[in-house]
């Protein structure tokens, strides 16, 4: 039985979080983790080929990468309880993969009631019945720690890498940090990797003007964070010499503010009355935050067919008009090309750059 | 020898070029079809510009390129400035209309809007989604009605009761149009209705949520159509300026940006006689299978791009 041998668990690539999935699966659950191959054109082709037409791009990406994970030997797939449609998508994903003839077990977190503590143990036991709950929890929290470090370092990275005065040293330190996280086996590995990159960052000379251009990124949860999906939007902007700020990440959305969403909602009561989607509240709040802090521009990111984020756009338009801050709207689909994105980004950069000189 | 500056705008449909002096006066200008061959078009363009250009008194010291083939053409011309078409249009237009607040542009395949404040672009949007807001829609409907594209404007201006045509989306607009033709609406009213639909669709899509302030400048192929100009004036309630050099604004902007930039390189008209070609090299380094575009002058590789990572850089 599958129960007897160690499971090979996988979860599709998602930004750089797979190092933490791997850590939790291997160190906390005592299973084997199958790292799916990086997202490529092939992933998208696979995903598009087997997806129904109406789904959004993140679904296709996930499906494509799940197929690649199964090809790489995974026998258990994990699906999170999603933020929006992704939550209902689990069943659909499973059905498509079964129809394709793959043998695997599908653990869909949205089938569990996550508000009950007992449920967590049930999930854990499903992965590995021999798990010791106390030990699991301790090591799980180390994985969570990794996520927090990852988000903290990534935020720092995109705020500063565009001003590297040492020929890519900043970027190399970040890459080394990622490698350290992907190979970490213990708490001390995580801590060491974190300390090393902090030291490396602060010893890298930055050539930053007194008032650098600052751009805030908001948008749909998946595309806004995943570099492959947004065609390295943040790196491209940073490389033009921009401080790139993004609030949206796993730490802020789930770990810290998961329950704090209520407070955010109160803060934007004057802008909109209802919660419109999974991330709308946070996005509207953060867009205004950027405007109030005197940022030079806002970029709104979403995938095609993402309905919740379409509803956010009129509110952003109002913020743009009230605070006189340019907002660039980007919609990604499989056809979005690097060239097209560069044209828009360069124009956006020129605009905020020339504007800053005049104001 | 006076300094001059060359600007070239290569789009999918047309290729435009200007040479200006340091006061932005146009010394030479040319407009030709790209016909799917940007390299050939640029060579031809440069040859035509050379004939108009006073080589005895002027020397081109900087070159700017813009448009969808800006990178390729920039490599070929040895450009000192390669700029996206949005910035180039904004810079070109504000040089001639310093007070402009809104630039509307409708081309054959796409359209854009640029909002300007104090001579600087502050907001823009581009649309490639709905064909009903572009020139392609206008010409296909003219064909359906059996009239020449150039005559659309005159027809439309003769109409006193423009037909209402649903403008939200191309598919609806087309079926509504067919319906109205069958109901026997006069041709000029229908044509005027089509012009209104183009303007309305543009304002609903590209112009959505944008505050359109006067002075308004209208550019792109469709701006030559008096019917659409009138439709914009009616809907916006303000005059709409169409510059006879409107089609050159991108090239002008590129030339001006080249003049303002720091790069200097004397332009050599002889390049028309050189052999340029591009080669697409597929990188098999990973399943991304990047297509790397390599540009050669004779046998010499002068530029390449398209690889997503460094591994593809060795391949050229
Ligand atoms: S938020 Fe948008 S992109 Fe994400 S699952 Fe929902 S609809 Fe799809
Ligand atoms: S250039 Fe890099 S990303 Fe592109 S196919 Fe080659 S190895 Fe893959």
């Amino acid at each position: 039985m599958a129960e007897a041998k160690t499971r090979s668990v996988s979860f599709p690539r998602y930004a750089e979080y797979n190092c933490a999935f791997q850590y939790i699966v291997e160190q906390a659950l005592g299973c084997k983790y199958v790292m799916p191959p990086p997202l490529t054109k092939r992933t998208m082709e696979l995903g598009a080929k087997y997806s129904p037409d109406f789904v959004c791009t993140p679904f296709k990406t996930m499906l494509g990468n799940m197929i690649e994970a199964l090809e790489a030997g995974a026998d258990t797939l994990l699906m999170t309880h999603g933020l929006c449609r992704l939550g209902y998508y689990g069943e659909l994903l499973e059905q498509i993969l079964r129809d394709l003839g793959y043998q695997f077990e599908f653990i869909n977190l949205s089938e569990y009631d996550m508000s009950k503590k007992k449920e967590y143990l049930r999930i854990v036991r499903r992965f590995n019945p021999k798990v010791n709950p106390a030990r699991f929890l301790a090591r799980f929290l180390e994985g969570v720690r990794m996520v927090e470090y990852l988000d903290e370092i990534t935020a720092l990275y995109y705020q500063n890498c565009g001003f590297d005065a040492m020929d890519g040293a900043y970027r190399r330190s970040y890459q080394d940090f990622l490698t350290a996280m992907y190979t970490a086996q213990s708490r001390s590995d995580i801590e060491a990797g974190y300390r090393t990159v902090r030291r490396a960052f602060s010893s890298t000379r930055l050539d930053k003007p007194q008032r650098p251009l600052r751009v805030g990124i908001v948008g749909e949860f998946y595309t806004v964070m995943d570099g492959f999906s947004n065609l390295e939007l943040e790196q491209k902007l940073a490389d033009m010499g921009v401080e790139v700020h993004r609030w949206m990440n796993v730490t802020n959305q789930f770990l810290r503010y998961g329950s704090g969403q209520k407070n955010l909602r109160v803060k934007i009561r004057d802008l909109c009355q209802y919660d419109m989607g999974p991330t709308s509240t946070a996005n509207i709040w953060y867009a205004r935050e950027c405007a109030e802090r005197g940022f030079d521009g806002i970029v709104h990111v979403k995938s095609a067919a993402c309905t919740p984020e379409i509803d956010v756009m009129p509110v952003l338009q109002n913020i743009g008009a009230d605070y006189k801050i340019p907002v660039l709207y980007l919609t990604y689909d499989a056809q979005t090309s690097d060239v097209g994105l560069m044209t828009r980004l360069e124009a956006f950069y020129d605009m905020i750059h020339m504007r800053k000189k005049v104001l | 020898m006076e300094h001059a500056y060359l600007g070239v705008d290569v789009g999918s449909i047309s290729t435009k070029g200007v040479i200006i002096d340091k006061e932005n006066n146009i010394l030479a200008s040319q407009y030709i079809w790209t016909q799917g061959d940007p390299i050939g078009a640029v060579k031809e363009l440069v040859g035509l510009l050379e004939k108009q250009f006073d080589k005895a008194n002027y020397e081109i010291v900087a070159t700017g390129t813009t448009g969808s083939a800006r990178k390729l053409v920039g490599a070929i011309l040895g450009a000192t400035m390669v700029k996206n078409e949005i910035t180039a249009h904004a810079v070109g237009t504000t040089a001639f209309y310093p007070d402009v607040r809104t630039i509307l542009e409708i081309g054959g395949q796409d359209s854009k809007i640029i909002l300007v404040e104090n001579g600087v672009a502050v907001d823009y949007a581009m649309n490639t989604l709905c064909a009903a807001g572009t020139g392609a829609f206008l010409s296909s409907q003219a064909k359906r009605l059996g009239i020449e594209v150039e005559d659309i404007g005159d027809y439309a201006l003769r109409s006193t009761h423009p037909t209402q045509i649903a403008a939200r989306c191309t598919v609806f607009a087309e079926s509504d149009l067919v319906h109205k033709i069958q109901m026997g609406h006069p041709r000029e009213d229908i044509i005027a209705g089509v012009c209104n639909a183009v303007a309305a669709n543009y304002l609903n899509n590209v112009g959505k949520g944008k505050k359109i302030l006067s002075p308004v400048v209208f550019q792109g192929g469709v701006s030559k159509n008096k019917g659409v100009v009138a439709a914009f004036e009616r809907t916006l309630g303000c005059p709409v300026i169409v510059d006879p050099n409107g089609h050159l604004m991108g090239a002008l902007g590129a030339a001006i940006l080249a003049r303002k930039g720091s790069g200097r390189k004397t332009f050599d008209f002889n390049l028309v006689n050189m052999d340029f070609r591009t080669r697409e090299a597929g990188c098999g380094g990973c399943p991304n299978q990047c297509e790397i575009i390599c540009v050669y002058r004779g046998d010499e590789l002068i530029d390449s791009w398209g690889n997503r990572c460094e591994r593809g850089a060795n391949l050229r």
Side-chain angles (χ1 to χ4, degrees), chain A residues 39-42 228 231 317 324 326-329 339 342-348 350-351 354-355 358, chain B residues 70 83-87 91 117-118 120-124 126-127 208-209 257 286-289 308:
Chain A
L39 303 175
T40 60
K41 207 156 87 183
R42 177 169 185 267
F228 175 81
L231 300 172
Q317 267 159 7
K324 290 195 162 255
V327 186
L328 175 67
Y329 301 93
V339 183
M342 267 324 261
T343 299
R344 284 172 157 79
L345 285 184
E346 282 171 17
F348 189 69
D350 289 343
M351 184 165 85
M354 293 185 195
R355 213 168 154 259
V358 173
Chain B
R70 60 185 178 278
K83 260 299 165 199
N84 63 83
E85 50 270 38
I86 300 164
T87 306
V91 168
E117 222 176 292
N118 303 318
V120 170
V122 290
D123 196 5
Y124 72 86
M126 265 171 112
N127 168 62
K208 192 172 181 183
L257 285 160
C286 83
N288 268 331
Q289 304 199 329
R308 281 188 193 224

Side-chain angles (χ1 to χ4, degrees), chain B:
Chain B
M1 252 340 200
E2 291 246 17
H3 285 178
Y5 311 86
L6 169 65
V8 176
D9 176 0
V10 190
S12 51
I13 307 225
S14 59
T15 296
K16 284 116 350 192
V18 290
I19 304 175
I20 56 169
D21 66 11
K22 57 179 188 302
E23 258 99 49
N24 296 348
N25 298 309
I26 298 177
L27 304 174
S29 73
Q30 193 66 46
Y31 179 108
I32 57 172
W33 302 115
T34 310
Q35 292 180 315
D37 174 19
I39 298 183
V42 160
K43 282 180 154 189
E44 188 188 337
L45 181 91
V46 167
L48 291 166
L49 285 171
E50 186 178 13
K51 288 195 189 122
Q52 302 171 29
F53 184 57
D54 175 5
K55 271 200 217 161
N57 292 310
Y58 289 94
E59 177 194 32
I60 297 173
V61 295
T63 303
T65 59
T66 186
S68 50
R70 60 185 178 278
K71 223 171 157 171
L72 171 64
V73 173
I76 289 177
L77 297 179
T80 52
M81 175 70 69
V82 176
K83 260 299 165 199
N84 63 83
E85 50 270 38
I86 300 164
T87 306
H89 265 104
V91 168
T93 311
T94 49
F96 292 88
Y97 299 93
D99 300 331
V100 65
R101 295 300 305 273
T102 311
I103 303 171
L104 314 175
E105 201 201 308
I106 307 187
Q109 318 254 330
D110 56 11
S111 42
K112 47 182 170 289
I113 185 168
I114 308 173
L115 304 187
V116 183
E117 222 176 292
N118 303 318
V120 170
V122 290
D123 196 5
Y124 72 86
M126 265 171 112
N127 168 62
T128 42
L129 277 182
C130 188
T134 68
F137 177 70
L138 209 58
S139 45
S140 66
Q141 299 320 316
K143 208 180 280 160
R144 187 195 297 276
L145 291 158
I147 54 178
E148 297 293 319
V149 189
E150 300 83 63
D151 301 335
I152 296 181
D154 292 323
Y155 266 97
L157 293 186
R158 278 207 297 275
S159 158
T160 43
H161 295 92
T163 303
Q164 283 282 348
I165 292 170
R168 281 270 161 200
C169 119
T170 322
V171 183
F172 287 140
E174 287 207 343
S175 62
D176 198 27
L177 190 88
V178 172
H179 175 65
K180 297 284 159 64
I181 294 174
Q182 283 161 353
M183 275 169 57
H185 284 247
R187 269 216 295 203
E188 45 268 21
D189 287 351
I190 292 193
I191 286 290
V194 171
C195 292
N196 284 345
V198 168
N201 183 282
Y202 173 92
L203 294 173
N204 266 325
N205 283 307
V206 196
K208 192 172 181 183
K210 305 263 180 274
K211 210 163 162 200
I212 296 180
L213 297 172
S214 169
V216 176
V217 173
F218 180 22
Q219 294 169 354
V222 174
S223 68
K224 307 279 184 230
N225 184 309
K226 287 177 266 174
V228 180
V229 177
F232 271 126
E233 293 193 323
R234 214 172 313 126
T235 336
L236 297 173
C238 69
V240 168
I241 306 165
V242 179
D243 189 294
N245 282 329
H247 58 288
L248 293 177
M249 286 303 172
L252 274 166
I256 293 169
L257 285 160
R259 174 168 69 70
K260 290 187 175 164
S262 53
R264 286 292 174 263
K265 190 171 172 202
T266 307
F267 181 73
D268 179 6
F269 278 100
N270 268 330
L271 142 164
V272 202
N273 306 319
M274 290 183 218
D275 173 38
F276 291 97
R277 67 197 166 80
T278 56
R279 187 175 68 93
E280 263 182 41
C283 174
C286 83
N288 268 331
Q289 304 199 329
C290 295
E291 276 154 21
I292 302 163
I293 301 181
C294 308
V295 187
Y296 295 89
R297 187 199 298 119
D299 289 328
E300 181 199 351
L301 178 79
I302 52 174
D303 204 355
S304 77
W305 58 84
N307 45 313
R308 281 188 193 224
C309 78
E310 286 91 30
R311 269 196 287 163
N314 315 324
L315 206 108
R316 34 189 224 199

Side-chain angles (χ1 to χ4, degrees), chain A residues 168-179:
Chain A
Y170 215 82
R171 186 172 193 153
R172 283 191 297 277
S173 312
Y174 180 62
Q175 296 294 353
D176 290 347
F177 165 70
L178 291 179
T179 308

Side-chain angles (χ1 to χ4, degrees), chain A residues 155-166 170 201 204-215 238 240-245 293 295-296 356:
Chain A
L156 261 177
Y157 174 69
Y158 286 115
Q159 284 167 31
N160 295 319
C161 68
F163 305 94
D164 186 341
M166 288 169 69
Y170 215 82
F201 275 1
T204 306
R205 194 158 44 80
L206 296 179
D207 192 0
K208 204 186 267 200
Q210 272 233 305
R211 291 170 56 227
L213 287 169
R214 288 179 301 168
V215 169
M240 294 175 181
V242 173
E243 248 187 36
V244 181
H245 294 252
R293 282 163 63 190
F295 277 30
D296 301 280
K356 191 156 198 138

Side-chain angles (χ1 to χ4, degrees), chain A residues 210-230:
Chain A
Q210 272 233 305
R211 291 170 56 227
L213 287 169
R214 288 179 301 168
V215 169
I217 313 265
V218 297
E220 168 250 301
F221 197 72
Y222 188 91
T223 311
V224 80
M225 281 192 242
D226 186 66
F228 175 81
S229 303
N230 62 37

